[in-house]
Amino acid sequence: MLSLKKLSTNLVRNYGPLGAVSTSLYGSTSQPSPSRPRATEPPKRVVFISQSTDVFSNLAFEDWLYKNWSFEKRSILFLWRNSPCVVIGRHQNPLVEANIPYLESAGVPVARRGSGGGAVYHDHGNLNCTFFTAKERYDRRQNLELICNVLNHDFGIQARANNRDDIVVGHDNKVSGTAAKLGRTSAYHHCTLLVRTDRQQLRLALQGDKTIQSKATHSVSSGVANLGDIGGKDMTVEKLLASLGRTFLTEQEQDPRLANGFTLINPTDDWFPGLGKIEADLRSVEWIEGKTPRFTISRSVSLPPCLAGTSASANITVQAYHGVVEEVRLEDGLMACEELTDLVLDISTSLKGTPYTPGIFCDISNRLRLPQPLHTQRSFL
Amino acid sequence: MASALRCIKFSYRFLNINHGPTQTNIISQHGPWCVYGRAHMHTHKLTHAHTPTRLVTTTACWLPLSPTHTHTHTRLVHAHTRSLHTTLPTHKLVPFILADIGEGIKEVIIKEWYVNEGDTVAQFDSLCEVQSDKASVTITSRYDGVVRNMHYSVDDTAFVGKPLVDIEVSKEDDSVGAEVQEGEAISVGRPVEEAVMESDTFTLPKGKILTTPAVRRMATQHKIALHEVVGSGKDGRILKEDLLLFLEHGKSKTTTTTKPMTTTTPSSRVPPTHTHTGVGAPVVGVPPVPSPVMVKVLGQDRKEVIKGFKKAMVKSMSLAMQIPHFGYCDEIDVTRLVEVKASLRAVGEAAGIPRMSLLPIFIKAASLALTHFPVINASVDDKCENITYKASHNIGVAMDTKEGLVVPNIKGVQALSVVEVAGELIRLHQAGLNATLTTHDITAGTFTLSNIGSIGGTYAKPVILPPEVAIGAIGKIQVLPRYDSVGQVNKAHIMQVSWSADHRVIDGATMARFSNLWKAYIENPVTMMMYMK
């Protein structure tokens, strides 16, 4: 039973000062409390199930909901699956997290999501759950506990959430990873659930280039397990989806007949105006490569005989920011001859501003071999 | 000596300027220098006569002052050039503290900045993106102002409870420093567009107005009614600049293009004596009524309960949207039909059908095609557990009546000739006009055609009427250039058709084949004649 004062602060919170004015006849002040007020009633719960397996459409829909819906009255659980792809966190470097050449050859897309955290591999045996709430109601542990309860009760799998907010089974075998995004009014927390994922593909896809130095968020790798292996043949993604949805709706002691229930979602621009633009942005190079934090990568490049001084190779470092080359520099510059230093400077100026590609070192190596106009003016004496 | 140099240090008198806030608080906070500076500002800005004051404030330098001097004629030493508006250039640098993210997080890493030093930000603009242990948080500004002193750069660790940036806000924003609760700072909604009809002059009731406390305070100081001001900020927010603009133009401000112009409703309740700026000249002999500040008035809102046909439509459309629709559109070349339209008309006249159109032919062709695709003439129950293949082709035709959309259907088209279909169509159309359609006419439809092209349009996305499973919308016939079989460009009469079908029971191939068959009949009427049953 809420006190009148609390009721009025809630009204102010929800309806603005006019709400407070209408309660002034209660004689309470309209000074809202700085603490997080609880709503007068818990929000209704809705489950959305995506009919698309395209990672970009689903991520776009997630973003669309986050930006366009208000979660004061409703909390949403969005369940989705993707065809094989790798999804990296907002502030990660795709080159570090994923085996880009392998993925490109296999035609597996790499997408960047809006929330933080590490890189994950998705395929049809992986279920994604996104919990949308108002910012005040954001509670990761609560969501993870719901999932663990479902796994325990419905499938007999002893799962628990560890201190890194991963769900683990057995001896710390990870079955789920978590990430979240918070804005001013809304927040979402999403996690993966490995049911029948191809673990070998997962391992191959996430083998990035670890020699790259950067302050981008690094994924913390851990041993993974499939829930399907533990839960038996009956454990399928569809069953897990149904269990999760049902538990989510009934947890609030909502009469499932009253709840909006399961809603199938087709994430296209027709149904959700503005989704097309979000999806296009997610596919764009500016987002996937352009949000890469600054990184440096060093390789040893063999030198042609005319430039080789004391050693036959040099350590070249390429620095890139937002996917674009910033600088190419020579490590151990004191050891090199003047031509080499100047040449590297020239290369740096010409490569600056170009998009970074893994083949850049080949390019640098070639450029070192090209005859330079200035070269002829120098004497070797 | 005439000019006695009087060096006066550190003594001041209060200025008697009748515009703006009193001096006391300014001086107490900012010292006498400020008053001096302000005085100068005011001598520039005030156009109406200000009482000559004895300004004795000085800086620490020697200034010539005649002893009998009563005018503020001092040499300016301190020049204030910064002035975007007439308010006093007293800004406060407010540290924007990084608020608690939750979950006991004490520090976060700055991942990206969205603003640079010197950028102007509004409340709720995004400032930066921070990451704390798998959560990516967008930090939005709490104040309007200019960004100064970014305390962290990308990849630095920022601490909760410590300043993130400093924002320069204008001094009147007294609410700065205390946490501005969105609930009290900004009311939701736009100024209510209701005119109060009782009074002669329109006074808009004080509806919900978007603005910040600082602007509100300024408005009460200058005695401006906020609902009279046009907001130019986001969502119609009233900004300080809007208030100043309002002040400059005075009360006879006309509406700007941000709001639509008043439409004078033909309602008799509009008082005729109301003067609207710019509308007509005042009648001779009548004392001019002070024109009120008009924002916009669109007449009164009208509320009515949805009942009857509208209610049925609400119900059926809500039901319909639970069906997973898919669309299939195509282009039909009806040149041949159009060519024989004259003779069609003639036969129709002879049979008693005035002004025969092509619609009965479309309907009959649909029925012929349905015999080959019975699934399209089927019906499903609510849970889509049972499908009934209907024997009779009861083809509904969407009609636009006074009440709205009504779909009566022609029963048993498979047994009717084109002339009979046309006759039925006319009967239903008349009944629709007279609102004498019976339940028998409206129910038991199995398939629907909508001739929206008679009004206009090409492609459409029609909504299936449950418990049917398909619907077609026919667009208008346009004359367009098309290539013929020998590669010549000819004039062709092109009509578009858009089908929608229930994807639970009909697949794309079936619909496509049905459409192709229907198209074949229409494009070559001889085929239709040959297969006519």
Side-chain angles (χ1 to χ4, degrees), chain B residues 294-446:
Chain B
M294 195 41 50
V295 188
K296 68 181 184 289
V297 171
L298 294 172
Q300 219 176 18
D301 289 348
R302 194 167 60 100
K303 196 156 91 163
E304 59 184 31
V305 180
I306 295 181
K307 53 183 192 290
F309 273 134
K310 275 217 184 80
K311 185 162 184 175
M313 187 144 157
V314 168
K315 234 199 252 185
S316 68
M317 287 305 164
S318 311
L319 263 178
M321 284 327 280
Q322 290 175 2
I323 303 174
H325 287 56
F326 76 90
Y328 179 87
C329 304
D330 205 353
E331 208 182 70
I332 324 275
D333 187 343
V334 293
T335 319
R336 291 216 181 99
L337 264 185
V338 170
E339 279 167 5
V340 301
K341 196 165 179 186
S343 42
L344 282 173
R345 280 263 166 100
V347 175
E349 297 280 356
I353 315 283
R355 290 194 343 266
M356 168 96 172
S357 68
L358 293 177
L359 184 58
I361 300 186
F362 297 152
I363 296 173
K364 185 64 186 170
S367 169
L368 288 176
L370 281 173
T371 49
H372 296 273
F373 295 95
V375 71
I376 299 181
N377 195 51
S379 167
V380 281
D381 58 2
D382 292 341
K383 292 213 181 51
C384 204
E385 280 170 1
N386 296 309
I387 180 167
T388 315
Y389 298 93
K390 297 281 179 173
S392 176
H393 298 166
N394 298 344
I395 298 189
V397 181
M399 277 184 196
D400 179 42
T401 64
K402 266 200 322 279
E403 301 286 324
L405 173 66
V406 153
V407 189
N409 53 75
I410 304 172
K411 301 275 193 290
V413 178
Q414 76 274 18
L416 298 176
S417 66
V418 175
V419 170
E420 283 164 346
V421 168
E424 259 296 289
L425 207 57
I426 289 181
R427 182 189 73 83
L428 288 172
H429 185 62
Q430 275 303 99
L433 284 176
N434 304 334
T436 54
L437 282 169
T438 64
T439 329
H440 176 74
D441 290 328
I442 304 180
T443 51
T446 59

Side-chain angles (χ1 to χ4, degrees), chain A residues 146-160:
Chain A
L146 186 148
I147 299 178
C148 289
N149 285 341
V150 167
L151 291 173
N152 289 339
H153 291 154
D154 292 352
F155 299 98
I157 299 176
Q158 296 304 312
R160 63 191 186 280

Side-chain angles (χ1 to χ4, degrees), chain B residues 35-45 74 76 78-80:
Chain B
V35 177
Y36 182 89
R38 291 183 59 241
H40 181 75
M41 289 295 289
H42 277 279
T43 54
H44 269 305
K45 300 291 183 188
T74 54
L76 176 69
H78 178 62
H80 236 312

